[in-house]
Amino acid sequence: MGLLFGAANQIVLGALAIGIIFMILLGYRMWWLRRPTARAARSSYLRPPGAGRTPTRVAIFMIALLGVGAGLFAPALGGSLILFLAVDLALGAFIRRRASRPDSTERKHSSASVG
């Protein structure tokens, strides 16, 4: 397709390709500089921003709406966004349900101390 509009188009497409490669390399470099070290990974106080917060219903609705909108124009992208949202909501519900349920070892200890 670079031959379609002559040398100017080839220069623009080459610059675009170099720019994309440059952004990918810079992204990896930024990750490498901010990656967690072994010591930081063991510490419990170091969490990513927003790790303890749950998304609001409005945010979930907006992401779903974005997925549906993207699905109209790019079905693979919209479908993957909706699938990601469904998996994320299911895992969140599973973790909340499991955290609210008392542990089986606590029930054993409480019944042994009563009797």
Side-chain angles (χ1 to χ4, degrees):
M1 299 306 282
L3 299 175
L4 193 58
F5 296 107
N9 189 36
Q10 290 178 354
I11 292 171
V12 169
L13 290 177
L16 181 66
I18 290 171
I20 290 172
I21 292 169
F22 189 66
M23 285 192 323
I24 290 170
L25 292 175
L26 281 179
Y28 280 121
R29 181 181 175 271
M30 288 189 313
W31 171 81
W32 185 261
L33 293 175
R34 293 183 47 94
R35 76 186 189 286
T37 60
R39 181 177 164 213
R42 285 190 299 267
S43 66
S44 61
Y45 68 89
L46 207 64
R47 296 187 337 182
R53 297 187 329 207
T54 58
T56 63
R57 291 189 189 274
V58 173
I60 293 171
F61 176 76
M62 293 303 289
I63 292 170
L65 190 64
L66 176 71
V68 169
L72 293 174
F73 295 106
L77 174 66
S80 63
L81 284 174
I82 295 297
L83 181 65
F84 175 77
L85 180 64
V87 169
D88 190 43
L89 289 174
L91 283 176
F94 176 73
I95 290 170
R96 280 191 304 275
R97 184 178 49 177
R98 191 163 184 188
S100 66
R101 186 174 56 186
D103 194 20
S104 61
T105 58
E106 291 177 11
R107 282 185 262 145
K108 288 179 186 176
H109 291 294
S110 64
S111 62
S113 62
V114 172

